[in-house]
Amino acid sequence: MSSFIPGFNNTLDPKAQFYLELAEQCAALLQGQRNLISNTANVASLVYHELRKTPTRQGRPVNWVGFYLADDKRPDMLALGPFQGKPACTEIAFGKGVCGTAASTSASLVVKDVCEFPGHISCDPASKSEIVVPLKAPNGKVQGVLDIDASVVDAFDDFDRIGLEAIANMVVEASDF
């Protein structure tokens, strides 16, 4: 279904191929379903399991994949949504930690070493690097974030950012917020 992701100039790269295939799997899961919880639950599970088994990530294990969603009653907070991994922080303020910073700036963050990120919130001390991608509505409002942690430093790169931004956009387009 999705054979193109903007930003992938070399689609023959194994990591680009991985994300193109992952996007196709996400599209199949999201097709015909508008429920936000169903969509984020299925995408969190798919992304978690696929990132853990792909050879393109050897030596860079993912230990947490999930969503934090904007809280309608408290617009300055993100509430824990569906995830895969160990139990996590239940709420994060906009502007706090990696997730809150990505939400408040409406920009993806690739953090090579979470110990060096000012104000990092440690939900799992095993997490050493992190990537967070905002879920942006067409009007620009941040509806939440896709958060992925790894148990080694420097586990994420631009291929991950581009691929995960495409998946986050798919979730937004397919879901009712």
Side-chain angles (χ1 to χ4, degrees):
M1 191 178 256
S2 173
S3 59
F4 176 75
I5 294 178
F8 281 160
N9 297 324
N10 178 4
T11 57
L12 298 177
D13 183 282
K15 205 164 190 185
Q17 281 297 309
F18 166 77
Y19 277 109
L20 290 167
E21 291 168 11
L22 184 60
E24 287 179 7
Q25 292 176 45
C26 284
L29 278 177
L30 297 168
Q31 187 172 7
Q33 178 58 261
R34 300 290 312 165
N35 184 277
L36 176 63
I37 299 303
S38 295
N39 286 342
T40 53
N42 274 333
V43 169
S45 179
L46 176 67
V47 171
Y48 178 80
H49 290 287
E50 291 300 312
L51 284 174
R52 289 177 64 85
K53 77 177 190 182
T54 181
T56 64
R57 296 207 56 81
Q58 271 189 333
R60 294 173 291 148
V62 167
N63 62 332
W64 200 91
V65 173
F67 291 88
Y68 281 92
L69 303 171
D71 188 332
D72 290 339
K73 295 177 181 146
R74 295 170 46 198
D76 60 334
M77 297 296 286
L78 294 167
L80 178 63
F83 69 94
Q84 297 283 306
K86 289 185 177 180
C89 303
T90 57
E91 56 186 24
I92 298 173
F94 272 62
K96 301 293 181 185
V98 182
C99 289
T101 301
S104 67
T105 62
S106 190
S108 297
L109 290 176
V110 177
V111 179
K112 292 183 183 293
D113 184 347
V114 295
C115 293
E116 295 179 7
F117 188 88
H120 174 254
I121 300 168
S122 179
C123 297
D124 180 357
S127 295
K128 303 297 181 205
S129 58
E130 186 169 4
I131 184 168
V132 180
V133 177
L135 304 175
K136 294 186 268 191
N139 67 3
K141 181 181 179 197
V142 173
Q143 304 283 7
V145 297
L146 169 57
D147 179 22
I148 303 177
D149 295 357
S151 58
V152 296
V153 172
D154 200 19
F156 303 106
D157 60 23
D158 243 15
F159 276 112
D160 297 301
R161 181 189 57 76
I162 292 166
L164 294 168
E165 285 175 347
I167 289 167
N169 289 336
M170 293 170 73
V171 170
V172 170
E173 290 172 8
S175 304
D176 293 329
F177 281 85

